[in-house]
Amino acid sequence: MEINQLRVIDAIARTGSLTAAAEELHYAQASVSHHLARLQEHVGAALTVRRGRGIVLTPEGQLLASRARDILRRLDETQSEVTALSRQLRSRLRIAAFQSALLELVPPALRRLQDDYDDIALELQESDPIDSMGLLRRNEVDVAVMHRPDDAPIGDEFAAVKLYDDPIYLLSTTPDDRVANHRDSSWIAGCERCQAGIEAVCLAAGFQPRVSLRTEDINVQASFVAAGLGVVTMPGTALRSLDMTRLAATALPGMKRRVWAVARASDGAGIAYDFIQATAAAVAAAGLNTSGFDQE
């Protein structure tokens, strides 16, 4: 039993003739007769009888027409729902990113994306790199903007674009500072992985840092440094969003992190891939892929 056959029996039931049914459906009358004949053959019963110059449905035809009307209505509703869902999914963008990326990378990328998508359904999550990749694997986000210490492959199941190298700085109140100068200073740390990075830097300078404040908010970190209450290491991307009036950033030689935008390879072309390209364009426009943080 085919959809066109159900449309024919429904139209005949409502119009009372093959000619009127053909006109309503924009079919040739011969096509309507053919569909009706095939439908009768399929169910094994006559569905119409002639009456005067028109036709009426047999009891079997009436039952089938009633069911056809319900089926066609449900099909139309389903098609509308699928179309709406498809439109929603095409414009849905779920992003997980680290804090400074949300501040400095995501907004300009989204502005670029709006040229092609004027109804983006946006969901943002602040997340560290390991958690972001977990969200991506579980299909809880569409794009992860994350950083890692090296350029090792991320995995064949992902489409990954390296955006830039992000130098790491010592943030203090003294220009051209050195980590070794802060053997007795208070240090400010964020997450456990961030603290591990600070400990590695300090141990390389010959001492164990004394961590006195733990917060992942870079603005809080900067305010404590500006007040002379501690020092912290911070990537260049984060520094771009800070008021550096009372702060000084000293590059740490050989220290950097690699920033990537990653989507699932199985997703194919779509808004997630377009966002990654927009992010890469925003990075290039900001000069992040060619230089570090410039205090001037």
Side-chain angles (χ1 to χ4, degrees):
M1 195 174 298
E2 300 175 0
I3 297 300
N4 286 340
Q5 295 170 355
L6 297 180
R7 295 193 187 282
V8 163
I9 193 65
D10 173 59
I12 292 173
R14 288 184 290 99
T15 63
S17 77
L18 297 182
T19 301
E23 291 176 354
E24 179 180 293
L25 295 172
H26 303 289
Y27 290 174
Q29 184 169 335
S31 179
V32 169
S33 298
H34 172 75
H35 283 307
L36 178 60
R38 291 292 302 275
L39 188 56
Q40 291 181 136
E41 180 181 343
H42 182 81
V43 300
L47 301 176
T48 63
V49 293
R50 291 194 173 276
R51 179 170 296 174
R53 301 182 62 179
I55 60 173
V56 296
L57 298 180
T58 63
E60 295 92 337
Q62 292 173 0
L63 175 61
L64 183 56
S66 175
R67 295 293 187 269
R69 190 169 303 115
D70 290 339
I71 291 170
L72 294 171
R73 176 180 55 79
R74 292 296 300 274
L75 282 173
D76 289 341
E77 290 174 353
T78 301
Q79 181 176 346
S80 297
E81 291 170 359
V82 169
T83 299
L85 177 60
S86 178
R87 187 180 298 113
Q88 175 186 347
L89 292 177
R90 283 198 301 270
S91 62
R92 184 188 69 181
L93 182 58
R94 302 167 300 170
I95 303 169
F98 55 94
Q99 183 180 168
S100 54
L102 289 174
L103 289 169
E104 294 295 314
L105 303 183
V106 174
L110 289 173
R111 283 196 296 270
R112 291 173 177 270
L113 201 63
Q114 284 178 334
D115 292 339
D116 296 317
Y117 298 88
D118 57 2
D119 58 346
I120 299 174
L122 184 63
E123 298 178 23
L124 296 176
Q125 292 190 50
E126 182 181 338
S127 179
D128 67 49
I130 293 177
D131 290 343
S132 292
M133 292 303 293
L135 293 169
L136 192 61
R137 286 188 177 92
R138 296 191 299 272
N139 194 26
E140 295 178 28
V141 298
D142 305 303
V143 181
V145 182
M146 46 83 75
H147 57 79
R148 57 189 311 183
D150 54 44
D151 291 327
I154 291 180
D156 293 339
E157 70 270 35
F158 300 112
V161 173
K162 182 182 175 183
L163 298 174
Y164 62 100
D165 288 331
D166 200 8
I168 306 299
Y169 296 80
L170 171 65
L171 188 65
S172 68
T173 56
T174 304
D176 300 320
D177 207 351
R178 297 172 60 237
V179 171
N181 295 337
H182 295 281
R183 179 184 299 271
D184 298 320
S185 297
S186 296
W187 285 78
I188 304 167
C191 64
E192 292 182 3
R193 283 183 286 274
C194 298
Q195 180 169 336
I198 289 173
E199 290 177 348
V201 168
C202 293
L203 289 173
F207 67 93
Q208 177 73 36
R210 176 169 58 87
V211 176
S212 59
L213 172 67
R214 290 179 175 81
T215 174
E216 296 186 40
D217 190 318
I218 58 177
N219 291 292
V220 174
Q221 293 177 352
S223 68
F224 271 71
V225 173
L229 298 174
V231 294
V232 68
T233 60
M234 193 172 288
T237 305
L239 295 177
R240 297 171 75 93
S241 64
L242 300 179
D243 178 0
M244 298 294 295
T245 304
R246 294 183 293 164
L247 299 170
T250 305
L252 297 177
M255 297 286 295
K256 63 182 178 180
R257 63 184 187 180
R258 284 76 169 177
V259 179
W260 295 75
V262 188
R264 287 177 301 278
S266 59
D267 285 350
I271 191 169
Y273 280 52
D274 290 343
F275 172 76
I276 289 177
Q277 295 305 315
T279 305
V283 164
L288 286 169
N289 54 352
T290 58
S291 62
F293 172 73
D294 185 354
Q295 288 187 250
E296 300 179 358

